[in-house]
Amino acid sequence: MEQKYTRSIRWKDELHRKWFLFSRNKLTLVGFAIVILILLLAVFAPFLTPYADHADIFIDYANASQAPSLQHLCGTDVFGRDILTRILFSLRSALSMALLVLSIAVPVGVMLGLLAGYLRGTIVDTIIMRVTDVFLSVPPILLALAIAAVMEANMTNTMLAVTIMWWPWYCRVVYSMASSLRSENYVISAELMGASRGHILFREILPGCLSPVFTKMALDVGWVILIGATLNYVGLGVQDGAPSLGQMLSDGVSYMPEYWWMTIFPSLAIAIIILGFNLFGDGLRDALSKGDQET
């Protein structure tokens, strides 16, 4: 009981120390506030707008192409749909895509990088890293466009295309970390004591690789959303009438500059999302790296 209590106290002290390092940078707090705001807007979108039905297939030509006003803060599109409402609801699909892409790409990349790093110099290492190099040699957006172009245009295939192009980055990050950690004394000691390969990989090496992985995940959310918006912009994403930032941007470009609000506000939403997650990721990186160095 006393050991568990001591472990709990140490965990709380470590959490407080990480938060102190994280909160010292004011820009980091700005990014954290933006991320929280985006999450809240996405979750409570149906309750924050009186035009929730505009997020689906809806036509109101009497209010079409209205400029920003007190009734429609971001104006309306050519079908009379409230743009602010569609931006709020598009946050849901954007964040859902980022969550699903990273929940698949991160475990796959981490597992392969961990295995290749620990078995460095073997045939397993050669196969995994050469396949990784092939994927990394192709520009990410081109790879995503090529994959999405040969499949039916919908959200599922968009997420699959982004996932296929995203796992190699985590594989490369974890591979470099695992390659150096495999020669640490505590790993060698575990091997001499007869620990299983699974124990060495997941209990000895993996914890030392988590800090850069978490940092990259925070930074990647915005970029995954940007890639998804790009695929939607060229017509390879959402096709069922559901709002998406990329599709809204693509539709609005046709009416520039007369109906500028149809393009400007979705563009600002994408920029704010990327800015928020980048500032948050930078602060997380500083907190974790400095905390590890002090430890």
Side-chain angles (χ1 to χ4, degrees):
M1 180 67 68
E2 182 178 354
Q3 185 178 6
K4 290 184 178 180
Y5 177 77
T6 303
R7 187 177 303 171
S8 176
I9 294 295
R10 290 178 178 175
W11 182 83
K12 291 180 180 179
D13 290 341
E14 180 67 15
L15 186 61
H16 284 304
R17 187 166 63 89
K18 296 290 188 184
W19 172 253
F20 172 75
L21 294 171
F22 178 83
S23 61
R24 286 193 303 180
N25 190 329
K26 301 304 179 183
L27 288 178
T28 296
L29 294 180
V30 171
F32 182 65
I34 292 175
V35 170
I36 296 299
L37 178 61
I38 290 172
L39 294 175
L40 292 176
L41 291 176
V43 171
F44 297 104
F47 309 102
L48 296 176
T49 173
Y51 309 105
D53 54 337
H54 291 203
D56 205 345
I57 299 176
F58 181 87
I59 297 177
D60 181 14
Y61 287 124
N63 294 306
S65 305
Q66 290 190 0
S69 62
L70 292 178
Q71 186 177 4
H72 300 283
L73 296 180
C74 295
T76 63
D77 62 13
V78 292
F79 297 106
R81 299 174 297 191
D82 183 65
I83 292 178
L84 178 59
T85 297
R86 293 180 66 79
I87 289 176
L88 293 180
F89 276 85
S90 66
L91 293 177
R92 290 184 155 193
S93 60
L95 292 174
S96 296
M97 186 182 71
L99 178 62
L100 290 175
V101 167
L102 293 179
S103 66
I104 298 174
V106 174
V108 171
V110 169
M111 283 292 299
L112 293 177
L114 197 65
L115 188 61
Y118 180 66
L119 300 176
R120 185 172 182 177
T122 65
I123 186 63
V124 174
D125 168 33
T126 302
I127 293 175
I128 292 176
M129 297 316 299
R130 295 300 74 78
V131 172
T132 301
D133 290 339
V134 169
F135 277 92
L136 292 178
S137 65
V138 181
I141 186 62
L142 292 182
L143 181 60
L145 287 171
I147 296 172
V150 299
M151 298 186 296
E152 182 182 356
N154 55 47
M155 179 58 72
T156 301
N157 290 335
T158 299
M159 290 187 294
L160 178 60
V162 179
T163 300
I164 291 175
M165 59 164 281
W166 222 268
W167 68 266
W169 300 97
Y170 288 91
C171 183
R172 174 61 69 181
V173 169
V174 175
Y175 174 77
S176 62
M177 294 290 298
S179 297
S180 61
L181 293 176
R182 65 191 290 268
S183 56
E184 292 290 334
N185 291 331
Y186 61 89
V187 175
I188 297 175
S189 298
E191 292 174 338
L192 293 176
M193 294 175 62
S196 64
R197 180 168 296 175
H199 174 89
I200 294 173
L201 289 175
F202 298 108
R203 299 295 297 274
E204 304 295 342
I205 298 179
L206 180 60
C209 304
L210 293 181
S211 292
V213 169
F214 287 147
T215 300
K216 183 167 176 56
M217 287 177 63
L219 292 169
D220 280 351
V221 172
W223 295 111
V224 170
I225 291 174
L226 178 61
I227 295 295
T230 302
L231 295 177
N232 286 318
Y233 181 86
V234 298
L236 297 176
V238 178
Q239 299 290 324
D240 57 0
S244 68
L245 294 173
Q247 188 62 52
M248 293 174 65
L249 185 59
S250 177
D251 294 340
V253 167
S254 303
Y255 303 98
M256 284 287 286
E258 184 178 4
Y259 302 135
W260 54 268
W261 56 89
M262 298 182 189
T263 302
I264 295 299
F265 290 114
S267 301
L268 284 176
I270 295 174
I272 291 173
I273 290 172
I274 295 175
L275 175 64
F277 279 100
N278 279 3
L279 292 176
F280 174 71
D282 288 340
L284 189 63
R285 177 189 58 200
D286 293 340
L288 293 176
S289 61
K290 290 179 180 178
D292 293 341
Q293 291 173 3
E294 294 176 6
T295 302

